[in-house]
Amino acid sequence: MKLPTTPEGWAIHLSKLVRAFHDAHGSPRFPIKVADIAIEYSRNVFPDAPITKVGGIDLTRKFEGMLMPIDSGTGEWGIIYNSAITSKGRINFTLAHELGHYLLHRHRSPDGIRCSSRDMGDWRSEHGQIESQANTFASFLLMPLDDFRQQTDGQKFDMDLVRHLSDRYEVSVTAAILKWLGITSQRAMIVVSRDGFIDWTWSSERLFKSGIYYAARQQTVELPSQSLAALRVDDAAARAGIMHKKGVWKGEEDVFEMTIYSPKNEMTVTLLIYPNDGPDRFHGRREPDDVGIDDTYERFMGARLPEGRD
Ligand SMILES: [Zn+2]
């Protein structure tokens, strides 16, 4: 059998195997058990280079995880997360990310790959490219499109649905929102902020085409003072959201804002929904160098929902 060569291809390939297995055994398909898949699949398909270790290691703070050759001369590999991470969503995503490195990059990196959120932000370097590929793989493996569409089609996309997706796939709320932004035809944006400042944002394709985004990586951008995000409170009202008149958030339109504040991570995740009939300003596809598209790893690595779920 010809094996896949792209991140999406690998994720779909493994997804089909997982689905067939669970259909045959009548067991639930989600959340995806990355550790089991990594060990079983590599043992069967790459017996000369099996993954034999999956787990947490005490890495220095700056590393999220690593793909590691096991120093035994047997060709074995380990996929590792930083044991300082306690969020199940982040651990799951990191393991999937490292499995992506194993499938896509181990031949070119025989000494392994260490993944820090800082290194992984740079799309323009070769290292940045492999980081974004590993993220794409992880996103498609943990949240396959067929099921994600079933869960979201015809549904109002609100924080209750985000919570459901985060639980179903065992991913961070940020990862679930980004997945939706990648496929939705709505005009919407995620805003991740800390200490009253916007850390990074990501707009859906249609919103980006109307020219609405923040260049938060290039300049310091304060949260709008009237926004829910600026309040930094974790309550049901903030999650349910409010409609703002134009002028609060970017763009000359009214905007619906929903916000989750995680005191543990001192991080606010905000979802902005713009009216559907906005103007399309650009017609080309966005390029990786465009503003607002960097730091993909960090955006996948956000906190899960508060309320002591992790
Ligand atoms: Zn990586």
Side-chain angles (χ1 to χ4, degrees), residues 97 101 115 120 131:
H97 175 105
H101 279 320
C115 304
M120 288 184 260
E131 294 313 325

Side-chain angles (χ1 to χ4, degrees), residues 4-15 18 32 34-35 37-38 41 51 79 92-105 129-145 171 179 296-297 300:
T5 54
T6 64
E8 294 91 341
W10 269 115
I12 291 165
H13 173 68
L14 289 182
S15 229
V18 170
I32 300 286
V34 178
I37 294 170
Y41 186 82
I51 294 171
I79 59 174
N92 209 24
F93 201 92
T94 299
L95 288 178
H97 175 105
E98 302 307 335
L99 177 58
H101 279 320
Y102 168 85
L103 294 169
L104 291 156
H105 309 131
Q129 285 182 27
I130 72 172
E131 294 313 325
S132 73
Q133 287 175 357
N135 285 332
T136 301
F137 169 81
S139 173
F140 277 80
L141 178 70
L142 299 177
M143 298 174 278
L145 273 185
V171 296
K179 185 78 180 182
T296 45
Y297 194 75
F300 280 111

Side-chain angles (χ1 to χ4, degrees), residues 176-228:
I177 291 173
L178 280 168
K179 185 78 180 182
W180 179 72
L181 288 175
I183 62 167
T184 185
S185 60
Q186 287 193 49
R187 300 170 71 243
M189 183 196 298
I190 184 174
V191 178
V192 174
S193 55
R194 289 173 214 276
D195 302 325
F197 290 90
I198 295 176
D199 205 6
W200 58 266
T201 70
W202 171 261
S203 300
S204 68
E205 192 77 22
R206 276 201 62 216
L207 189 65
F208 189 81
K209 282 182 176 173
S210 6
I212 297 178
Y213 54 78
Y214 286 92
R217 283 294 181 196
Q218 284 70 27
Q219 62 199 67
T220 304
V221 183
E222 216 172 327
L223 280 171
S225 59
Q226 294 169 61
S227 64
L228 290 174

Side-chain angles (χ1 to χ4, degrees), residues 194-196 223 228-234 261 266 268:
R194 289 173 214 276
D195 302 325
L223 280 171
L228 290 174
L231 297 174
R232 279 185 273 171
V233 290
D234 175 33
Y261 174 59
E266 293 181 355
T268 306

Side-chain angles (χ1 to χ4, degrees), residues 15 27 43-44 56 59 66 76 118 122 126 130 152 187 195 197 212 228 231:
S15 229
S27 51
R43 186 166 60 85
N44 283 296
L59 301 170
M66 62 192 288
E76 294 169 38
R118 194 156 162 217
D122 190 355
E126 173 64 12
I130 72 172
T152 55
R187 300 170 71 243
D195 302 325
F197 290 90
I212 297 178
L228 290 174
L231 297 174

